[in-house]
Amino acid sequence: MIMRKRALEQSRFFVDQQLGDPQITVADLQERLARGDTFTDKLLYFGANLLGTAQYWHQRRRELRALVEFMVNEKHGLPSFFMTGSCAEFYFPPLRRLLEEYILQTKGKEANLAEDSNACFKAVQENTHVVVSYFDLRTHAYHEKVLKPVFGVSDYWYRYEFAKSRGQIHWHQLSWREDRQPHKLLHEAREDGCEEEEYAARLSQWADQTFAMTKNGTREKTSGHHLRERLSPYQMI
C-alpha cells in the first residue's frame, strides 16, 4: 500500500514523441482516450525514486558508474575487492536475543530461540523487519570496525538484495583499498609475464601475509560433468 501510494504521488507519465511530430497536449490525450484510441505503447512511466523499481536501479547503476569513473580519474583505480555479506539469521546470537526481547515486549511471551529451532524459524519469518534492521546495523559496524582498519578500504559502494529462495537480506559490494596493493601485485605479475596461476599465487601470498587469510581452490566434477570450484570465504579482484 505504501509503494502504491508513493507511485501515484511521485511518479510521472511521459509521452514518447519523435522530432517533428506535433506537440501532444493533455487535452489531446483525453480526447483520444474518449474516442477509444489506444496509444499506451507511447506512454512512459518513470519512478526512479521508488525503491526496487527498474528505474530506481537504473539510477543507482549510473551513480556507481560515475563513482568508478571518478576514482579512476583521481588515480585511485578500479575496485580492489568484490565482497558479499550474508545474513546468518538463524546463527547470530545477538539477533536471537533481540528477537526474544521483541517477542516478550510485543506478545508478552518468553521464547528460547537458541534451543527451539522451529520457534527460531517462525520468529525470523514473522519479524523480518527486526532481522533487516539488525543486519543493517551490523553491516555499518562491519564497515567501520573491520573493512576500514583491517582491509584498508577507503571507499565503497554496496547494495542490499533479498534472496529469492528464502527472502532474507544480503549485500554485494565493490571496495577500493587505499594503497591499491592488489592492483600493484597484478601489474607486477603482468610485467613479469606470469601465467594466471602465478597471478593467483601472488595474491594468495599477499592475503596470507596481510590478513592471515588463505585461498585454497579445488575443483570437483558434479552431475552433467560440470566443474565446480570450492573457494575460501573471500574473493578478490
Side-chain angles (χ1 to χ4, degrees):
M1 292 176 63
I2 293 175
M3 291 293 291
R4 190 179 298 114
K5 184 175 185 295
R6 288 177 179 173
L8 293 174
E9 292 177 347
Q10 302 175 13
S11 301
R12 297 291 182 268
F13 284 95
F14 296 87
V15 179
D16 185 19
Q17 291 186 259
Q18 302 295 326
L19 290 175
D21 290 348
Q23 182 67 32
I24 300 177
T25 65
V26 175
D28 294 334
L29 294 176
Q30 293 174 340
E31 181 181 352
R32 293 175 64 175
L33 282 172
R35 294 200 311 263
D37 187 3
T38 58
F39 55 91
T40 54
D41 59 328
K42 289 185 173 295
L43 287 179
L44 303 176
Y45 187 64
F46 287 91
N49 54 345
L50 297 176
L51 295 175
T53 61
Q55 294 86 356
Y56 172 86
W57 286 118
H58 177 73
Q59 187 69 18
R60 304 289 80 75
R61 183 168 63 249
R62 293 179 60 185
E63 291 175 356
L64 175 58
R65 181 181 293 274
L67 173 61
V68 172
E69 292 179 354
F70 171 80
M71 297 299 286
V72 171
N73 290 334
E74 291 296 312
K75 311 303 182 183
H76 297 297
L78 295 171
S80 304
F81 306 108
F82 171 80
M83 299 179 172
T84 296
S86 299
C87 180
E89 63 273 15
F90 301 114
Y91 304 99
F92 288 147
L95 177 58
R96 287 200 299 263
R97 294 194 295 268
L98 178 62
L99 288 171
E100 290 173 350
E101 182 66 25
Y102 182 78
I103 293 172
L104 180 62
Q105 292 187 12
T106 57
K107 297 183 178 181
K109 299 179 181 179
E110 292 188 358
N112 191 344
L113 304 184
E115 297 182 2
D116 190 340
S117 58
N118 291 330
C120 183
F121 178 82
K122 182 178 179 181
V124 168
Q125 298 303 315
E126 292 181 349
N127 302 285
T128 53
H129 59 298
V130 177
V131 177
V132 169
S133 298
Y134 169 81
F135 186 69
D136 181 55
L137 292 172
R138 189 183 181 98
T139 297
H140 286 289
Y142 176 73
H143 281 80
E144 293 300 321
K145 300 181 182 299
V146 178
L147 282 188
K148 291 182 178 179
V150 176
F151 285 87
V153 170
S154 59
D155 300 271
Y156 55 85
W157 185 97
Y158 69 96
R159 60 173 283 179
Y160 284 125
E161 293 181 351
F162 291 86
K164 294 181 180 179
S165 58
R166 57 193 181 94
Q168 286 302 333
I169 190 172
H170 62 277
W171 50 262
H172 301 295
Q173 174 172 305
L174 294 175
S175 304
W176 280 262
R177 183 176 166 87
E178 193 166 12
D179 61 7
R180 301 187 66 235
Q181 189 62 24
H183 296 86
K184 294 178 181 178
L185 289 173
L186 292 176
H187 178 72
E188 292 173 359
R190 181 181 179 183
E191 291 294 311
D192 294 341
C194 297
E195 298 292 335
E196 185 175 343
E197 292 183 357
E198 179 62 22
Y199 278 56
R202 293 191 182 189
L203 280 176
S204 180
Q205 183 181 10
W206 172 75
D208 186 18
Q209 295 174 349
T210 308
F211 310 120
M213 300 174 67
T214 59
K215 172 186 177 299
N216 295 318
T218 60
R219 289 189 175 189
E220 62 178 14
K221 285 194 174 183
T222 61
S223 59
H225 303 288
H226 293 294
L227 290 176
R228 181 176 63 186
E229 288 202 293
R230 295 178 176 269
L231 300 177
S232 68
Y234 78 91
Q235 180 179 5
M236 285 200 241
I237 296 179

